[in-house]
Amino acid sequence: MRNLFLAETCKETQLHVFNPQSWLQVERGKVSNVSSYSPSSMYVFSASLSFFELVGAIYFLFVMSETFNGTFQCSESLIKVAEPPVLPFFKPIDYVEVLAQIHEELECCLPHEKSELYLQQFQVFRGLGEVKLPQSSLRSALETASTVYEKLIFGAWLKYEKKGEEPISHLLSSCRKCSREFSILDVASEIPIQASEVMNNSLSGEIEKSSTVFFRVREEYIACDRQKIANLSHPFQTMLEGCFTESIQEVIDMSENSISPIGMRAISDFSLFGSLNDSLSVDILLEILVFANTFCCERLKVACDRKLASLVSSKQDAVELMECALEENSPVLAASCLQFFLRNLADCLQDEQVIRIFSTANRQQRSIMVGHASFSLYCLLSEVAMNANPISDVAASFLEKLVESAVSSRQRQLAFHQLGCVRLLRKEYDEAERLFGSAVAAGHIYSVVGLARIACFNSDKHSSYEMLSTRDLSTRRGRKKWENLDKATELDPTLLYPYMFRASYLMKQQSVDAALVEINRVLGFKLAVECLELRFCFYLALEDYRAALCDVQTILTLSPDYRMFEGRVASVLLQILVREHVEQCTIADCWLQLYERWSTVDDIGSLSVIYQMLEMPHVAKGVLYFRQSLLLLRLNCPEAAMRSLQLARQHATSLHDRLVYEGWILYDTGHREEGLRKAEESISIQRSFEAFFLKAYAMADSSTDPLCSTTVISLLEDALRCPSDRLRKGQALNNLGSVYVDCGNLDLAADCYITALRIQHTRAHQGLARVHFLQNNRNSAYEEMTKLIEKARHNASAYEKRSEYCDRELTKADLQMVTKLDPLRIYPYRYRAAVLMDSQHEEEAIAELTRAIAFKADLHLLHLRAAFHEHIGNMAGALRDCRAALSVDPNHQEMLELHSRVNSQEP
């Protein structure tokens, strides 16, 4: 039941493949979320709409329209693609080899070394553009952390990575479930007291008889037990019981030792009872801490350190006490202050005092503040700083500390490269060149890209211009660049720049259709705002304002604060201006458009219509934001989807609707049982389509009981009896059909799919095709999927599903189309590799898998390649792939079995 509704989300549907090849008897993988680095994402812009911004935008658009002059002549300044950025990530040439090495080290390393290795694994996954895998590595780093410092750092890092999920903490508390992932640590209990700091005499409430000594502090005399004070430290013992004059004095003047009478009394009490009074103020405790350090009173210092650590309650407290902790070598207090900074990371890194503490800490101070986890700390701080502003002094200073903290080769590769990227952005080319060179020398070959970029910047531009002015050389240069970009797409079809450059070039050559085809290629599998922006420019040049409006509204849906044309104009302003050229629609018109776009599986167009509807007055925004979140999930934009879902909750017009949206928020963040309870609570208030649908969804995905199908069917039937629109009714019918298929009720399933198709739920063709196939009517299944392809053009999923219902040659053609439309779908690579392996073309089969593995760290691809390597006797290659695959999913049972088998055969 867990895969019941995957066809209605962005996940790759999992069907049982009836295929003779033994190599394909592995469950299909799902397409993981992929994020691409964008320079614009590294800056924070204001979205406020000032009068001057509006005037500037109007002028900008006017200039553009004058440039177009009603023709296809495109402005060079408008349709311009920036050079691809030098990414500030750890990008090894062979990431599989590095992952395998890290996994091998994890198998045999000491427990305290694991978290650092998981951080290196995190950096590899981050460089690959993965989203979920880096978080998984951070969680492993947190789980294996052996010191309080690592727990603080990786806990804060996970919280930072999941900052979009912070609103669920309140929802979890309302469900009487508290998340322990980001709970406050008792720092003192996490840092053990050293043996040398344990009191070496028995302390009790009873005072042993001994001579009394008076310590004079200003005009006051504090009576102390000479023996007890002597036991505080060797200096006191020498002074009070040795050959010094103080050993025979009854009064000793302590007025010059920066201690107050209150502080001295507290020290006397501590010497007697072994604890500090809870009523002591921070100032007095600081006095005592300095005193303890001066006279080497380790036990007193430890007690004072831990007492102060419990009193950090504000940022200013943390700043002042951290400075004292670093000066007085108080690790518990320093860790407590560090915890406050890290728990409030975004706010604290806006504070100059906090920045100064982190930026100026020397090696000894870093050891006090964060133990041996200095590199991990500055990894986190530099990432946050670069995301806020990569050219800031703060980012540069944190990265300098990262370089200082680097010990291993991989650490140096990352640190040198990241600091080189920041120096490059700051146009400090000499220093950037030195750093990239150091990164290359340490083994980070990708840093050569930085060196090449600097060489380009430092060249004689006038001579370059003269050389490129000749037509032949320019043509050769253009052809060479085109060839290189084609090769780049072949090696990694997920890179955005090659598509954008080719599309831009074709548009400038007035090859309009070819330009649109090229940019649509990448938008078919990766909804990137920079690609939407380029297509927006194309549509402006063509004066197709309706299409341009669609793209800018999609941009605003994905990133409300996005600024276009190199950050010069807010997207929302361009949307306002372009909208003036498009006929305005009524809310009824918009619903009709939404039905039409939904039926043609035009998800981007549907997003645009919903955005337009949200701008209209007196509309139910909660429902629209919810529909928006569903579309964004289907388009593989989980962060934007969660933002829309939270807006749906915020704009809910009734309690039962709000409970449904809260249920989906909980469900989408992995809290299925809590989401189910929200659905039940909503139903108890009012029976509604969405509440029953949520309950059915949550039950289907969280229960392994075969009898659950009956309950899910009943819930979906209850949902269909409630008022709703055709869009959601079609989805419910489609899902109900899927349940009937799983239960073997093919006739009932067919009825559901046919009813869904009558109300234009186009995706129901896929379910009906499955019914035909299970009824041994392969031709009808193929025809049904063909209908879906005709209605939903360029739908990679439809081609992939149709490939299951035809002969091998047609299957190969369909899967080739899948790879062309969406290179991230991994099943086609696995199928082609399996066919090649069956034909005893082992090297070609491995090459097919390697082609996809190069840009996608997929468990199933690595699993299959490991099996191929084992089959041909390449145990070293098989073991490498097993280890890399277990880095992706360390608990995958089949991989564990294969790894054990291969490992036993490895010489």
Side-chain angles (χ1 to χ4, degrees), residues 734-758:
N734 195 57
N735 292 339
L736 182 56
S738 298
V739 183
Y740 280 135
V741 168
D742 290 342
C743 296
N745 297 326
L746 299 183
D747 291 338
L748 290 175
D751 290 342
C752 288
Y753 293 131
I754 291 169
T755 304
L757 288 170
R758 286 187 188 132

Side-chain angles (χ1 to χ4, degrees), residues 518-561:
E518 186 65 28
I519 198 63
N520 286 337
R521 282 177 64 192
V522 66
L523 285 171
F525 65 88
K526 186 180 286 189
L527 194 58
V529 288
E530 48 267 66
C531 295
L532 285 167
E533 178 181 352
L534 185 60
R535 193 170 70 174
F536 169 81
C537 295
F538 293 172
Y539 286 135
L540 280 185
L542 299 171
E543 298 184 0
D544 186 347
Y545 296 116
R546 184 173 297 279
L549 182 63
C550 174
D551 281 349
V552 74
Q553 288 175 336
T554 305
I555 288 171
L556 287 167
T557 301
L558 294 170
S559 181
D561 299 333

Side-chain angles (χ1 to χ4, degrees), residues 626 645 660-668 690 693-694 697:
F626 178 61
L645 202 47
V660 169
Y661 302 145
E662 289 177 353
W664 280 114
I665 290 172
L666 290 165
Y667 175 87
D668 286 345
E690 294 299 350
F693 192 90
L694 169 60
Y697 206 114

Side-chain angles (χ1 to χ4, degrees), residues 861-871 877-878 881-882 895 898:
L861 292 172
L862 289 164
H863 186 188
L864 192 57
R865 193 172 73 170
F868 286 1
H869 280 307
E870 182 194 31
H871 179 74
D881 286 349
C882 284
M895 278 308 319
L898 179 58

Side-chain angles (χ1 to χ4, degrees), residues 255-422:
S255 301
E256 302 300 322
N257 287 285
S258 301
I259 192 71
S260 66
I262 297 175
M264 197 65 226
R265 286 193 191 94
I267 294 169
S268 176
D269 290 344
F270 179 83
S271 72
L272 297 172
F273 306 111
S275 62
L276 291 168
N277 196 305
D278 290 338
S279 63
L280 294 174
S281 69
V282 171
D283 290 339
I284 297 300
L285 289 169
L286 289 173
E287 279 184 14
I288 297 171
L289 180 63
V290 173
F291 181 93
N293 257 338
T294 302
F295 290 95
C296 304
C297 304
E298 286 303 317
R299 291 181 286 111
L300 178 60
K301 177 184 175 182
V302 168
C304 197
D305 185 13
R306 290 168 184 264
K307 180 71 71 174
L308 282 166
S310 67
L311 301 177
V312 180
S313 59
S314 70
K315 182 170 65 177
Q316 194 57 40
D317 284 346
V319 168
E320 293 172 359
L321 291 175
M322 177 64 91
E323 291 175 343
C324 179
L326 297 180
E327 185 174 344
E328 300 298 330
N329 190 9
S330 302
V332 180
L333 177 56
S336 183
C337 297
L338 179 66
Q339 175 167 233
F340 188 92
F341 292 150
L342 295 181
R343 289 189 64 82
N344 305 275
L345 198 54
D347 176 54
C348 287
L349 289 189
Q350 299 295 319
D351 189 296
E352 292 184 2
Q353 293 176 295
V354 178
I355 293 169
R356 178 175 51 78
I357 288 172
F358 287 130
S359 299
T360 61
N362 58 34
R363 186 182 298 275
Q364 180 182 356
Q365 290 172 331
R366 293 198 300 271
S367 177
I368 297 168
M369 178 169 56
V370 75
H372 296 294
S374 181
F375 184 84
S376 300
L377 172 65
Y378 284 98
C379 263
L380 169 59
L381 295 178
S382 58
E383 176 167 323
V384 176
M386 284 192 293
N387 286 342
N389 183 358
I391 62 172
S392 66
D393 292 339
V394 177
S397 65
F398 288 166
L399 284 168
E400 287 171 355
K401 294 299 177 186
L402 187 68
V403 169
E404 290 178 20
S405 305
V407 177
S408 69
S409 173
R410 294 187 196 122
Q411 289 178 348
R412 286 192 291 270
Q413 290 176 41
L414 175 68
F416 283 131
H417 179 73
Q418 287 192 327
L419 184 53
C421 289
V422 168

Side-chain angles (χ1 to χ4, degrees), residues 588-601:
D589 293 332
C590 286
W591 275 110
L592 289 173
Q593 288 181 31
L594 187 58
Y595 285 131
E596 179 185 349
R597 292 177 183 273
W598 192 281
S599 66
T600 58
V601 199

